[in-house]
Amino acid sequence: MLKFLARMSGLLLVAAGFVGLVIDGTRSIVNNVISFTSIGSLVGTFVPGGISNLQTSVAARFSPWLWDTLFVHALQLPASITAFFVGAFLLWIGQRSIEPIGYLAGR
C-alpha cells in the first residue's frame, strides 16, 4: 500500500515538475531572461501567512540556526526541478519488486 502511495505521489510530482518547467520556460522566453519559480514563492502563494509563519514555527519547534542553515537555501531552489527529482525518487522507492523468471537449477 505504501509503495502504491509512493508511486502515485511520485507520478503527480513528476507531472507537476514538468508543467512547472513548461511554465518557467515560457516565462523565460517571453521575458528574454532565464527565470525559475522558487519554492519560497510557492510557499508564499499557497500557505496563509507565507514564509514568516513558517520561520516562526521552525524557530519555535527546532532551533533558529536550522532556519538559517537549511531552510533559507532550500526555499531558493527551483520548484519545478525539485518536484521532478523528488517525484523520481518516490518512483524509485515505490517500484515493484522484480519477479524471478524460470526455476532455480541448483535444487
Side-chain angles (χ1 to χ4, degrees):
M1 182 68 180
L2 289 177
K3 284 188 176 189
F4 170 74
L5 289 175
R7 279 194 311 261
M8 187 173 73
S9 59
L11 283 173
L12 287 174
L13 280 174
V14 167
F18 180 72
V19 168
L21 195 62
V22 168
I23 291 171
D24 288 341
T26 305
R27 187 181 306 126
S28 296
I29 290 171
V30 169
N31 294 334
N32 285 333
V33 175
I34 295 177
S35 65
F36 290 105
T37 304
S38 67
I39 295 174
S41 66
L42 284 180
V43 168
T45 303
F46 291 117
V47 175
I51 296 178
S52 62
N53 284 347
L54 181 65
Q55 181 180 5
T56 56
S57 65
V58 167
R61 287 187 182 164
F62 301 109
S63 178
W65 66 268
L66 184 66
W67 175 262
D68 293 333
T69 57
L70 181 68
F71 281 97
V72 170
H73 298 294
L75 290 174
Q76 294 174 356
L77 292 173
S80 57
I81 297 171
T82 305
F84 181 76
F85 281 123
V86 170
F89 179 71
L90 286 174
L91 284 173
W92 179 68
I93 286 177
Q95 68 184 351
R96 294 183 177 145
S97 59
I98 300 172
E99 296 180 11
I101 298 174
Y103 299 101
L104 294 176
R107 292 187 187 189

